[in-house]
Amino acid sequence: MGRSNPDQKIVLYVLTDGLSTAQQCLVRALMRRNLAAGSIVHTISVEGALAQQEGTAETYLLKHVSRVTMVRLLLPKLLPCVQKTLWIDLDALVVAPLAPLFAIQPAAPCGIAGRQSVVEHYLGRYQGPDKEVIAPTLENLVTFNAGVVIMDLDILRNDSAYERTVQKIAFEYGNDDQV
C-alpha cells in the first residue's frame, strides 16, 4: 500500500482479533513505517464489537469469512466520526494509487460501491436456517466482490434497512457476503 501511494497521507484503521495491546502497537508501528509521513494508523479490536452485537454468527460462519470480515459491517457504528471508508481485505494487494478509487461516491440508498463479482454467487454455500426459502429469491441477484469496497458510512448509518439486514443475514446467519 505504501509503495503504491508514496506521497499520499493515509488514515488507516486495522481491525484485529486476539492481539494484545503490545501486539497492536507493533502492528501500528510496522504499518506506519511503510506509509507516507503524516499517515495515521489505528487498531480496533473486534472482540468488543462482536460482544456488543446480538446473534450467533459463528454458528453459521462460512469458512472463508473471518470474524474481522464480519465486523466490517459494523463500521458505521465503530467509526462514528468517519464519513467514508475504503475497505480492503487483508489478502488484497494494493498495486496502484488509492485516491482514484476513494474518489468514487457510492450512490444512495445503498451506500456501498464495489466491483461486480466475477463469481456468480455463494448461494451454494449459504447455510442460514432459511436456506430452502431464501435461495430461490436470490438466484438472479447481481452481486459484487466485497473484498474491496467504498462505504459511505453516513448513508449506512441513516438506513434502518442496512442495520436490519446486517443483523439478520450476517449476525444471525453468519453470511456477510450476502449482505
Side-chain angles (χ1 to χ4, degrees):
M1 182 182 312
R3 287 185 181 159
S4 300
N5 298 272
D7 300 320
Q8 182 70 44
K9 290 182 185 176
I10 296 174
V11 177
L12 189 63
Y13 294 88
V14 179
L15 301 181
T16 65
D17 192 6
L19 297 184
S20 69
T21 303
Q23 290 169 322
Q24 289 184 42
C25 183
L26 182 59
V27 166
R28 289 189 301 272
L30 290 171
M31 296 299 289
R32 273 194 307 269
R33 187 173 80 178
N34 293 299
L35 296 174
S39 292
I40 301 169
V41 180
H42 303 276
T43 52
I44 300 173
S45 175
V46 302
E47 289 92 349
L50 287 173
Q52 294 175 10
Q53 189 66 35
E54 295 178 26
T56 57
E58 303 219 18
T59 303
Y60 302 108
L61 200 59
L62 299 174
K63 289 181 181 172
H64 74 284
V65 178
S66 71
R67 290 166 29 107
V68 169
T69 301
M70 293 296 288
V71 172
R72 81 170 148 205
L73 300 172
L74 302 178
L75 290 179
K77 289 180 183 178
L78 287 174
L79 305 173
C81 297
V82 176
Q83 187 265 327
K84 185 178 174 184
T85 63
L86 167 58
W87 172 270
I88 303 174
D89 272 357
L90 180 62
D91 62 350
L93 181 61
V94 178
V95 296
L98 294 172
L101 185 57
F102 192 74
I104 295 171
Q105 182 57 43
C110 179
I112 300 172
R115 176 178 59 85
Q116 185 169 340
S117 184
V118 295
V119 177
E120 196 171 310
H121 46 65
Y122 290 104
L123 291 178
R125 292 183 258 167
Y126 180 78
Q127 296 300 313
D130 62 349
K131 180 179 181 174
E132 304 305 320
V133 174
I134 201 168
T137 66
L138 300 175
E139 283 189 17
N140 295 317
L141 186 66
V142 175
T143 61
F144 62 89
N145 185 317
V148 178
V149 293
I150 304 293
M151 301 171 74
D152 185 318
L153 300 184
D154 283 342
I155 291 174
L156 297 175
R157 276 185 210 100
N158 293 313
D159 184 0
S160 60
Y162 175 79
E163 191 166 335
R164 286 192 312 272
T165 302
V166 165
Q167 178 60 40
K168 182 65 125 182
I169 303 297
F171 288 96
E172 289 180 25
Y173 300 166
N175 294 288
D176 85 311
D177 282 347
Q178 281 74 32
V179 173

